[in-house]
Amino acid sequence: MTIKTVVNADAGTTDLVGGNDCDNLATSLNLGEPYMYLVAKSGSTYYVKNSAGEVAHSGSTPATEIQWALDNLTVGRTWKETVIIKGSYTISTRLDVSSYTKVILNGKITLGPSLTLNAIIRNKTYNTAQQTDIEIQGGIWDGNMAGGSTSNGIALFGTNNQFIHDLTVQNCGGLASRGIYLGTNSSSYISDGIFVDNVICNNNYLGNEIAK
């Protein structure tokens, strides 16, 4: 298992928090990289826009639209594709990420109250198969411990080439809950190539764990 960990307690990510408007994306994000889908809110509707700026999907539940974007990237790809989540949302279900996926949070995701989940976001085949090249960047990931929710923050098990950077994970409460939880899954798929850079973990019940 190869691990590189750089934690900078002075560098936050709150400057990434933007509005919910879908317009002026390039100006507000200044990312300089292509994306497959952008998830944003306008009024009471959550939209998924494709790289051409067209609405690919929409609905009234943020987690459903985010998961739709994650599930509708190119099937069978061997290159990384990007989903951008713009705005601050409260979700009631876990987000699952497949191989060769980059998730950029430009805002904040908070769990709803009184939930019991194993993660705010995790790899899709968490305990059943090997995955590779998952990247999670930016924003604030909040487990809502004060609201009675129990969850790990970011959980990646049995994945290679993981990159978690420039973000905050906070308020992940309950027994055995960690801000970042990485390791070998129960099917004995080993995680390797773990990179954690410029991450703040605050007020998580058991801190972080990287386990073989």
Side-chain angles (χ1 to χ4, degrees):
M1 177 182 292
T2 304
I3 302 170
K4 175 187 177 185
T5 305
V6 181
V7 179
N8 184 346
D10 298 322
T13 56
T14 53
D15 59 321
L16 291 176
V17 178
N20 286 327
D21 190 8
C22 291
D23 297 329
N24 301 317
L25 174 68
T27 300
S28 60
L29 289 181
N30 193 28
L31 290 171
E33 66 174 279
Y35 61 88
M36 284 293 289
Y37 292 114
L38 163 73
V39 182
K41 180 182 178 183
S42 181
S44 59
T45 303
Y46 302 91
Y47 293 94
V48 180
K49 287 192 173 185
N50 61 24
S51 57
E54 303 164 334
V55 175
H57 205 263
S58 64
S60 59
T61 307
T64 300
E65 300 312 305
I66 296 168
Q67 192 61 56
W68 188 94
L70 293 170
D71 289 342
N72 283 273
L73 300 171
T74 303
V75 176
R77 64 192 179 278
T78 54
W79 59 91
K80 198 178 289 184
E81 293 183 343
T82 299
V83 172
I84 296 173
I85 306 165
K86 186 171 187 288
S88 296
Y89 306 115
T90 299
I91 63 173
S92 57
T93 55
R94 183 190 67 239
L95 302 175
D96 291 334
V97 184
S98 298
S99 294
Y100 297 103
T101 301
K102 180 175 183 177
V103 178
I104 299 175
L105 175 58
N106 182 251
K108 181 179 181 181
I109 286 183
T110 304
L111 288 185
S114 304
L115 297 173
T116 301
L117 304 174
N118 64 4
I120 303 172
I121 185 169
R122 75 170 200 187
N123 57 306
K124 185 179 283 289
T125 61
Y126 180 77
N127 266 332
T128 58
Q130 188 87 53
Q131 286 186 270
T132 190
D133 290 86
I134 293 174
E135 181 175 352
I136 302 174
Q137 172 187 337
I140 300 172
W141 302 81
D142 193 309
N144 195 13
M145 180 165 47
S149 286
T150 299
S151 176
N152 294 302
I154 298 170
L156 301 178
F157 269 58
T159 60
N160 293 327
N161 300 326
Q162 311 166 50
F163 190 16
I164 301 170
H165 61 106
D166 301 298
L167 55 82
T168 296
V169 183
Q170 63 188 26
N171 303 324
C172 294
L175 294 176
S177 292
R178 302 155 181 87
I180 297 176
Y181 193 22
L182 311 171
T184 302
N185 66 21
S186 61
S187 298
S188 299
Y189 289 99
I190 297 172
S191 291
D192 198 14
I194 302 170
F195 299 90
V196 181
D197 189 13
N198 195 27
V199 170
I200 299 173
C201 289
N202 182 41
N203 198 32
N204 301 305
Y205 188 80
L206 283 180
N208 308 310
E209 182 173 338
I210 300 176
K212 292 185 178 181

